[in-house]
Amino acid sequence: MELRHLRYFVAVVEEQSFTKAAERLFIAQPPLSRQIQNLESELGISLFERGSRPLKTTQAGHFFYQHAVKILANAEEVKSMTKRIGMVERTVTMGFVGSLLYGLLSRIVYLYRQQQPHLKIELVEMTTMEQVKALKEGRIDVGFGRLRISDPALKRMLLREERLVLGTHASHPLSAHKEGVYLADVVDEKLFLYPNHTTPSFATQVQGLFAEYNLEPQHVRIVREIQLALGLVAAGEGVCIVPESARSIQLAHLNYIPILDESAVTPIFLTMRNMDESEDIMSLFDCIYQVYDLEAIRYDRNSF
Ligand code: BEZ
């Protein structure tokens, strides 16, 4: 006896007719009658009064009906409980480059936690190159980074392009240019870039940007991380170039000035495994859209 036999039997009892039960179950009537006959021969009893119209159950059939209904309800409950337990154990691990924490990463992840409370969400800071390896080895599910790195096993999507700004000390002459400066104004400054532990990196991206304008900064110092670059600027050591979202890092005497060159942007990419079409990643995209909508950030849904 299988669950489907119980389902067929319950439908016949409730519809009091083989024809109507067959319609409800979307099957033809002869196979339905055969299944009920098989059930009766397995049990060795009649479940229905012979010749009754509308169909009536025998006493044994009535007993069997009451228990069949409970068994089917239990089976449904077990199915949905098992799904729920399975969901509790699902984990989404995200790799991210540190500077994204000053942008929208934390808001997106917080919203994702609220909207997907059954998911275990883990964040791991790593470089874009480390993210590529970790994605291929299955250690993370998505990576957020700023570098355009391609790999045949991975899919990379441009989320948005963030403008770059110049960090200056309040006493620096460039601080007077509140409306903005051009990269050409910066080439002779002592310029702090980061990070210094890997290449390619954000530092190489910024140097590439200067090269695009046929410029070469003359006094570059590459430091460990963004906080160090900004701290040195606040100490009056020089200037630095950072993504606009770093404005949320406020230090005494530290100013942020727009960089006006059109290409002075840094992309934000989401990278995932080619074959991964899991619901969890789709709902992460939804959270990104929601935060972008709230922030009035323009994006191209088709590029996701
Ligand atoms: C953003 O700032 O646009 C962003 C940062 C991290 C993940 C996704 C988006």
Side-chain angles (χ1 to χ4, degrees):
M1 189 193 311
E2 294 170 25
L3 280 181
R4 101 188 118 88
H5 290 113
L6 301 188
R7 217 169 284 123
Y8 293 163
F9 173 68
V10 166
V12 175
V13 174
E14 289 177 355
E15 296 298 332
Q16 296 184 292
S17 146
F18 277 86
T19 315
K20 286 187 192 155
E23 275 169 19
R24 167 167 147 186
L25 295 162
F26 298 106
I27 58 172
Q29 187 183 327
L32 175 61
S33 304
R34 254 195 323 274
Q35 296 290 333
I36 299 293
Q37 275 164 16
N38 290 348
L39 191 57
E40 287 182 317
S41 32
E42 188 181 341
L43 294 167
I45 46 136
S46 290
L47 292 166
F48 294 100
E49 305 271 16
R50 291 289 159 235
S52 56
R53 291 282 178 281
L55 266 184
K56 272 207 189 105
T57 50
T58 59
Q59 199 184 357
H62 183 65
F63 174 84
F64 190 67
Y65 168 73
Q66 288 179 316
H67 288 273
V69 168
K70 281 191 198 146
I71 292 168
L72 289 175
N74 279 347
E76 273 309 308
E77 201 179 325
V78 168
K79 203 162 90 184
S80 67
M81 286 286 287
T82 309
K83 275 191 188 164
R84 273 218 302 278
I85 290 166
M87 282 165 85
V88 166
E89 285 172 0
R90 279 209 317 264
T91 302
V92 175
T93 308
M94 305 179 198
F96 67 98
V97 294
S99 72
L100 292 177
L101 276 179
Y102 306 110
L104 300 174
L105 179 65
S106 29
R107 276 181 60 190
I108 290 166
V109 173
Y110 185 65
L111 184 67
Y112 191 44
R113 278 190 209 287
Q114 285 179 310
Q115 295 188 354
Q116 306 294 325
H118 53 276
L119 285 182
K120 190 165 165 224
I121 297 165
E122 287 177 350
L123 285 166
V124 192
E125 193 210 345
M126 46 175 83
T127 65
T128 310
M129 296 303 280
E130 287 168 343
Q131 288 175 25
V132 167
K133 191 161 183 281
L135 277 164
K136 287 164 70 176
E137 291 173 0
R139 286 184 284 116
I140 60 171
D141 301 296
V142 290
F144 293 110
R146 294 189 183 275
L147 299 183
R148 203 171 266 105
I149 290 170
S150 300
D151 187 289
L154 304 178
K155 194 156 56 183
R156 185 192 64 213
M157 280 145 284
L158 175 66
L159 295 178
R160 68 178 174 116
E161 286 190 318
E162 194 183 353
R163 295 237 33 109
L164 292 173
V165 293
L166 185 74
T168 57
H169 189 274
S171 66
H172 193 286
L174 286 177
S175 288
H177 298 245
K178 297 273 180 271
E179 71 295 349
V181 293
Y182 287 91
L183 292 170
D185 301 324
V186 178
V187 277
D188 291 322
E189 300 295 330
K190 185 169 174 188
L191 177 64
F192 293 106
L193 296 176
Y194 62 91
N196 63 1
H197 53 82
T198 177
T199 49
S201 66
F202 178 71
T204 38
Q205 194 173 77
V206 173
Q207 284 169 310
L209 178 63
F210 276 98
E212 189 182 323
Y213 287 93
N214 206 17
L215 298 167
E216 191 180 356
Q218 297 301 303
H219 314 285
V220 174
R221 262 189 62 198
I222 313 228
V223 296
R224 199 175 66 241
E225 57 191 10
I226 187 169
Q227 291 88 347
L228 210 59
L230 290 169
L232 290 168
V233 172
E237 289 256 335
V239 299
C240 68
I241 292 181
V242 292
E244 191 173 31
S245 52
R247 283 178 184 274
S248 60
I249 308 176
Q250 289 294 328
L251 299 175
H253 311 300
L254 175 63
N255 286 354
Y256 292 100
I257 304 191
I259 298 179
L260 301 172
D261 305 83
E262 196 184 334
S263 300
V265 291
T266 172
I268 299 178
F269 294 111
L270 179 153
T271 310
M272 58 196 270
R273 282 178 288 277
N274 257 338
M275 307 300 284
D276 199 341
E277 281 175 4
S278 84
E279 263 174 52
D280 300 333
I281 295 189
M282 296 308 126
S283 43
L284 174 60
F285 275 120
D286 263 358
C287 291
I288 296 172
Y289 296 141
Q290 287 173 56
V291 172
Y292 281 6
D293 286 340
L294 285 172
E295 289 295 311
I297 291 174
R298 297 217 325 261
Y299 56 88
D300 176 7
R301 233 170 216 263
N302 298 325
S303 76
F304 287 18

